[in-house]
Amino acid sequence: MCQHQPPCPTADSADRESARLTAHHPEQGWSLLCNGVLLFEDTGELLPDGQVIAPHRPLGTGQVMTAA
């Protein structure tokens, strides 16, 4: 899929989000990466095989995660 040199990371690699943008639609909240990943503004992802990656925003400063 990717024609860049060096090639972009594949959709199943850990650094898949560093692939180049091929389409960017901030008004709709999504971008398409060169490796076929749909990246959403909430940091969720849809992989080319249909797998959904839940949003993974870091917690802001001052917020603490507590165990339930």
Side-chain angles (χ1 to χ4, degrees), residues 8 10 19 32-33 35 43 46 50-52 58 67:
C8 292
T10 62
L32 177 62
L33 303 180
N35 55 11
T43 69
L46 180 61
Q51 181 181 358
V52 174

Side-chain angles (χ1 to χ4, degrees), residues 2 6 8 12 14 16-18 21 25 28 32 35 38-40 43-45 47-48 54-56 58-59 62 64 68:
C2 177
C8 292
D12 59 350
R16 65 181 157 260
E17 295 173 13
S18 63
L21 290 173
H25 293 279
Q28 296 176 358
L32 177 62
N35 55 11
L38 274 173
L39 181 62
F40 298 96
T43 69
E45 301 172 21
L47 303 185
H56 48 277
L59 292 176
V64 177

